[in-house]
Amino acid sequence: MPRNRRGWAFDQSNEPGSSNHTPLTVSLLEPALLILINEKDQHGYSLVSELESLGMGSIHQSVIYRTLREIEVLGWINSDWQTDQTQGPPRRVYRLTYLGKNILISWKNELEKVRMNIDQLVGKLDKERS
């Protein structure tokens, strides 16, 4: 977490329902994109919509598209232009590669470890409140 983001949890404007996002939310963008693309091949706009439904809608679209380009450069996803649309401009459709599927397994393992850490921390807070 960059130094200039220290103390984000104490920001009074960061109330529930606020449009701000935390560094924790941004750190989940990469695995969230891989999970959504693994479910089905998708274009960027549908990924943005699905991220919103996951509570990650506060992340700016430019960050989402930059992350998609970065993970494509890494070979985790690839994309093609879908030109057979009857309406509108062509759309770039993203799909997970074989390498991306392996990376997704690594992300799953990491997320499980982090979930255990979070559960332990929240458990300590709950004990303290009792």
Side-chain angles (χ1 to χ4, degrees):
M1 184 178 337
R3 281 188 182 269
N4 63 350
R5 296 293 297 181
R6 298 259 188 252
W8 58 265
F10 302 106
D11 184 358
Q12 297 302 313
S13 65
N14 217 5
E15 298 170 2
S18 163
S19 64
N20 294 335
H21 56 263
T22 68
L24 290 172
T25 303
V26 175
S27 68
L28 294 174
L29 179 59
E30 190 176 284
L33 287 170
L34 292 174
I35 289 165
L36 293 172
I37 295 169
N38 186 51
E39 289 176 350
K40 65 179 180 179
D41 297 351
Q42 298 191 58
H43 56 84
Y45 183 77
S46 66
L47 289 166
V48 169
S49 297
E50 291 210 37
L51 287 169
E52 286 176 6
S53 71
L54 292 174
M56 299 176 75
S58 62
I59 299 175
H60 197 274
Q61 289 183 11
S62 65
V63 175
I64 295 168
Y65 284 102
R66 183 174 58 241
T67 303
L68 285 167
R69 283 192 306 274
E70 289 170 354
I71 61 178
E72 186 170 18
V73 167
L74 291 170
W76 300 354
I77 60 172
N78 58 29
S79 65
D80 293 305
W81 287 101
Q82 187 180 46
T83 56
D84 57 349
Q85 303 261 351
T86 56
Q87 296 178 342
R91 295 178 175 176
R92 186 180 292 266
V93 177
Y94 298 94
R95 64 189 47 80
L96 210 59
T97 64
Y98 179 76
L99 176 59
K101 289 181 188 287
N102 289 328
I103 295 299
L104 189 54
I105 292 167
S106 295
W107 261 116
K108 180 181 183 291
N109 293 335
E110 186 63 25
L111 289 170
E112 287 171 346
K113 284 187 236 173
V114 171
R115 179 174 46 189
M116 286 179 10
N117 293 127
I118 291 171
D119 288 344
Q120 288 175 348
L121 290 171
V122 171
K124 286 183 175 288
L125 284 172
D126 290 342
K127 284 180 186 176
E128 186 177 295
R129 289 184 185 158
S130 312

